[in-house]
Amino acid sequence: DARVTQTPRHKVTEMGQEVTMRCQPILGHNTVFWYRQTMMQGLELLAYFRNRAPLDDSGMPKDRFSAEMPDATLATLKIQPSEPRDSAVYFCASGLHRNTEAFFGQGTRLTVV
Amino acid sequence: SQQGEEDPQALSIQEGENATMNCSYKTSINNLQWYRQNSGRGLVHLILIRSNEREKHSGRLRVTLDTSKKSSSLLITASRAADTASYFCATIRDGGSQGNLIFGKGTKLSVKP
């Protein structure tokens, strides 16, 4: 049963701490998306990778956020330092290739206090 | 930034009725997709319609696309309580090598038994 796996599912951290979220895309998928979902802003695209290369991270605050794909089975999203306004649900999704549907993980619910 | 805008923001109907949700977008697209999100869960892909298609069916779902008006609609026929969820449209722009999947803010559907 192929699925996108995100860890952790929940994270509570103090302001100023580093947060790392991990995503295992579906094996064989070559596109990976990171989204942030809040009530106010909805689903915002933070970063988009194809074949492990970042194609678009224009939606990501560069001063504190970074996204990488160390290998084809792992994508990471880091926030350093974290702030209360970063509290949101962060979703990772993967796709077989460009212009196809995306398969979503269950999300990481981040609370920064 | 959002590409698609759904209308209405919220919809409440009785079981057995049809539910229609609309989506408008701004740029030329390669395809438009509809997703469903149950509360606290990840998004699930429902249907994809390409820019050269006008209508597509999948079970109780019917999607139409009007590229001249830059709009799409999702019809759920004979709704069930289990259809209660948020529904999002998402677009992939035409041209270029990107493939970014950009979401609207969604329609919250409530189906009362």
Side-chain angles (χ1 to χ4, degrees):
Chain A
D1 183 25
R3 64 179 72 181
V4 175
T5 304
Q6 289 187 248
T7 55
R9 291 292 312 278
H10 302 272
K11 176 74 176 178
V12 180
T13 191
E14 291 185 348
M15 183 172 63
Q17 296 298 304
E18 177 178 303
V19 175
T20 298
M21 290 169 270
R22 293 178 173 80
C23 168
Q24 182 176 2
I26 292 173
L27 192 64
H29 282 193
N30 72 3
T31 60
V32 172
F33 305 87
W34 280 106
Y35 293 91
R36 174 170 65 184
Q37 186 176 36
T38 60
M39 290 292 292
M40 292 300 295
Q41 299 298 327
L43 272 160
E44 301 173 277
L45 178 65
L46 298 176
Y48 166 56
F49 290 78
R50 188 173 340 126
N51 295 323
R52 295 174 55 201
L55 289 191
D56 185 4
D57 60 3
S58 59
M60 200 163 63
K62 300 290 191 303
D63 56 339
R64 299 183 300 108
F65 283 61
S66 63
E68 295 180 342
M69 281 200 73
D71 61 60
T73 65
L74 177 63
T76 61
L77 180 66
K78 286 187 183 177
I79 309 174
Q80 168 63 20
S82 57
E83 297 180 2
R85 59 180 167 149
D86 301 329
S87 297
V89 181
Y90 291 81
F91 286 104
C92 173
S94 70
L96 187 57
H97 51 76
R98 183 166 64 103
N99 296 335
T100 60
E101 66 267 35
F103 294 80
F104 279 74
Q106 292 300 301
T108 294
R109 182 174 294 275
L110 174 66
T111 304
V112 184
V113 298
Chain B
S1 61
Q2 257 79 33
Q3 158 80 313
E5 293 290 335
E6 288 91 338
D7 167 56
Q9 290 187 345
L11 180 61
S12 182
I13 59 174
Q14 294 294 131
E15 208 165 26
E17 294 180 339
N18 295 343
T20 299
M21 289 160 267
N22 303 296
C23 168
S24 60
Y25 57 91
K26 297 172 186 172
T27 65
S28 297
I29 59 170
N30 176 283
N31 66 69
L32 184 143
Q33 305 176 26
W34 285 91
Y35 288 77
R36 164 192 168 129
Q37 183 180 34
N38 286 80
S39 181
R41 307 294 295 271
L43 282 78
V44 175
H45 178 261
L46 295 175
I47 198 164
L48 180 155
I49 186 164
R50 303 194 186 284
S51 60
N52 61 353
E53 297 175 309
R54 292 296 167 258
E55 189 170 312
K56 208 161 182 181
H57 297 253
S58 176
R60 293 184 297 114
L61 305 181
R62 173 179 167 249
V63 168
T64 61
L65 180 64
D66 186 336
T67 52
S68 67
K69 294 181 180 177
K70 291 187 169 59
S71 67
S72 172
S73 67
L74 170 68
L75 168 67
I76 304 175
T77 59
S79 63
R80 304 165 182 168
D83 295 329
T84 295
S86 291
Y87 292 81
F88 296 86
C89 71
T91 54
I92 294 183
R93 283 185 177 178
D94 191 23
S97 61
Q98 293 274 338
N100 300 24
L101 186 61
I102 307 296
F103 284 81
K105 289 202 172 184
T107 292
K108 196 165 187 176
L109 173 66
S110 175
V111 181
K112 300 187 189 320

